[in-house]
Amino acid sequence: MSRRLPRGPRLPAWTATLTWKAAVFITVMCCALAALLGALVHVSVTDQTVGQARDHALTRLGEATDAFQAGDDLGPGAGVDPPGLPVRLRELAVAGERGTMVGARDSRPTMWAAGPATGGRAIAVQVDYAQGARTIDGLDRAILGSSVLAIGATLLVGAFAVTRVTRRLHQTARVARRISAGDLDARVNDPRTREPSRRQDEVAAVSGALDTMASSLQGKLQSEQRFTADVAHELRTPLTGLHAAAELLEPGRPTELVRDRVAALRTLTEDLLEISRLDAKSEHVDLDDHHLAPLAERAVRGSGVDAELVLVRDVCVVTDRRRLERVLGNLIANAAKHGRPPIVVTVDGPAVSVRDHGEGYPDYLVEHGPQRFRTEGTTKGHGLGLTIALGQTAVLGARLSFANAADGGAVATLTLPYEESAGAGARDADGAV
């Protein structure tokens, strides 16, 4: 059995942004480039400075060696086995080789040059290397300062350029979310897409494609909405005639079947008309203050379903009474048709839940919400009732969620907009009504 390794600490959300990633990339690349150029310049100048000091020291060593062989004074800074001569350089000179080494003398940088002398000794000269060391130190500071300035300037310019791109991407993402939420009039309208002769970058291409997609989608949906509304309107007249004709039939089982099917068709037609109005966003709410418990009680009575009403806490909400009762009626009717009793309607503050004890909602409905006329396997589907309830909920500015209870049964929860205030009345009750 495999064990899942513990995950490391999560990074802050802002580290996932393109701006932050671009800034890190630019900084790393600038630092790497500055380090490479600085190293090359440092090595080149150091080699040149050290080479000049070495040549000067070897020249002095040659002069001191000639003076030593002639028995003359070796001159300043030269001597045989002078104090402070590096041990490794002395060993090299005693072995018969000439060499140089940078060391220190009285805490000052010194270039030593040494060569063999008689009697297993070494003749050496020292040249002041402080100026060369200061030159290299100054160069290193200049490289570091210029690198910091270059990195800072590059980072600012890069961040400005990336921010302009990400701002346009954020705008495109906001419009895409608005379209997903149902606002088909939303458009990016990137200035670069308005002029065909103007060159477009990748962001403008994405923005233009999104606007084109939204326009095409809006046209198709509007065409479908018009078709649905036209069909529903055309069906109303013959259905009205059928209903009148069915009422004239003599009583009997065939008459009951005809009347039942005509009533079902009339209900379906009215539902289609209501959905077309909801899709067209032509509905207007009539808001007023209402206590939620009496509205729920009226919805239960009006549904004709044997449902239990449980009052936990009643509040006064600002809503459209007719639309709210329509939503609750559809939820109760759906629970009675597709679930099993007992059906419980619970009022708890601004939330009203409708629960049955059947098999629960299909997975697709819980995850994606109701879909018109969709069926799942051999089930009958959920028709238009839940779709209308969801549309009316959006008109009310409320929220409707669907879930399955842990111990079985479907649970639909309607949450109305509500703000606690001193003037809002609330009533608590225990038990069932």
Side-chain angles (χ1 to χ4, degrees):
M1 183 176 180
S2 61
R3 295 180 58 188
R4 179 176 294 180
L5 297 176
R7 300 179 65 179
R10 289 182 176 271
L11 296 176
W14 57 267
T15 59
T17 61
L18 183 60
T19 302
W20 184 83
K21 293 178 180 178
V24 171
F25 176 77
I26 293 173
T27 302
V28 171
M29 293 303 297
C30 286
C31 289
L33 182 60
L36 177 62
L37 294 178
L40 292 176
V41 174
H42 173 83
V43 170
S44 177
V45 174
T46 299
D47 288 345
Q48 183 179 0
T49 304
V50 172
Q52 292 176 351
R54 181 181 293 113
D55 292 341
H56 181 54
L58 290 175
T59 300
R60 288 283 312 280
L61 177 63
E63 294 174 352
T65 300
D66 293 341
F68 176 76
Q69 292 175 352
D72 296 334
D73 183 23
L74 299 182
V80 178
D81 290 337
L85 178 64
V87 176
R88 292 180 58 189
L89 185 59
R90 184 181 184 283
E91 292 174 353
L92 180 67
V94 170
E97 299 289 338
R98 300 176 67 184
T100 59
M101 179 179 291
V102 177
R105 179 72 183 273
D106 298 331
S107 300
R108 291 176 62 84
T110 302
M111 175 65 74
W112 290 91
T118 58
R121 295 177 299 173
I123 182 171
V125 297
Q126 53 183 335
V127 176
D128 187 16
Y129 188 63
Q131 182 61 37
R134 285 194 296 270
T135 300
I136 295 176
D137 290 341
L139 176 65
D140 291 341
R141 287 192 295 271
I143 292 175
L144 180 61
S146 60
S147 298
V148 171
L149 291 176
I151 292 172
T154 306
L155 186 59
L156 289 176
V157 174
F160 173 74
V162 172
T163 301
R164 293 189 62 186
V165 175
T166 55
R167 188 184 299 115
R168 294 166 61 199
L169 289 175
H170 284 310
Q171 172 66 15
T172 304
R174 283 194 295 269
V175 171
R177 285 191 290 267
R178 288 173 56 190
I179 294 173
S180 300
D183 183 8
L184 298 182
D185 293 324
R187 297 293 185 273
V188 180
N189 290 326
D190 193 299
R192 292 167 178 79
T193 62
R194 299 176 185 174
E195 303 176 12
S197 61
R198 188 172 181 180
R199 293 183 179 273
Q200 296 185 6
D201 57 9
E202 289 78 1
V203 179
V206 172
S207 302
L210 180 63
D211 288 348
T212 302
M213 181 198 70
S215 299
S216 176
L217 180 62
Q218 185 179 33
K220 291 180 179 179
L221 288 178
Q222 289 176 347
S223 177
E224 292 180 1
Q225 291 167 8
R226 286 192 297 269
F227 175 77
T228 302
D230 292 343
V231 168
H233 278 292
E234 292 296 328
L235 286 175
R236 293 183 79 178
T237 301
L239 283 176
T240 301
L242 281 175
H243 178 74
E247 294 297 326
L248 299 177
L249 295 176
E250 294 184 2
R253 182 59 180 168
T255 300
E256 293 178 1
L257 291 176
V258 171
R259 290 175 179 175
D260 179 70
R261 292 301 88 194
V262 170
L265 283 174
R266 291 189 68 183
T267 301
L268 178 59
T269 302
E270 295 300 327
D271 287 346
L272 288 173
L273 283 172
E274 186 170 357
I275 285 180
S276 66
R277 289 193 297 267
L278 290 172
D279 289 341
K281 293 182 172 53
S282 60
E283 297 287 313
H284 300 285
V285 292
D286 182 15
L287 299 178
D288 201 355
D289 294 334
H290 298 281
H291 277 280
L292 201 50
L295 295 184
E297 186 177 0
R298 287 186 52 171
V300 171
R301 288 201 309 267
S303 67
V305 175
D306 185 14
E308 178 185 7
L309 177 62
V310 176
L311 176 60
V312 178
R313 183 170 65 99
D314 185 22
V315 296
C316 185
V317 296
V318 179
T319 188
D320 187 322
R321 178 184 59 82
R322 181 184 65 82
R323 297 183 189 280
L324 178 60
E325 291 180 359
R326 170 71 159 152
V327 173
L328 295 179
N330 281 16
L331 295 179
I332 296 171
N334 183 81
K337 182 177 181 180
H338 300 283
R340 288 195 296 268
I343 299 173
V344 181
V345 180
T346 304
V347 178
D348 187 1
V352 183
S353 63
V354 178
R355 177 185 177 181
D356 62 60
H357 290 75
E359 297 179 356
Y361 291 122
D363 293 337
Y364 79 87
L365 193 148
V366 175
E367 184 175 357
H368 302 291
Q371 301 177 23
R372 304 170 188 179
F373 298 114
R374 172 166 177 172
T375 59
E376 189 74 8
T378 59
T379 62
K380 298 180 180 179
H382 288 74
L384 299 177
L386 294 184
T387 304
I388 293 174
L390 191 63
Q392 293 288 9
T393 299
V395 174
L396 293 174
R399 185 176 72 254
L400 182 60
S401 60
F402 302 93
N404 291 321
D407 55 346
V411 182
T413 304
L414 173 67
T415 305
L416 296 164
Y418 174 72
E419 293 182 2
E420 293 283 355
S421 61
R427 295 179 291 180
D428 295 333
D430 295 327
V433 177

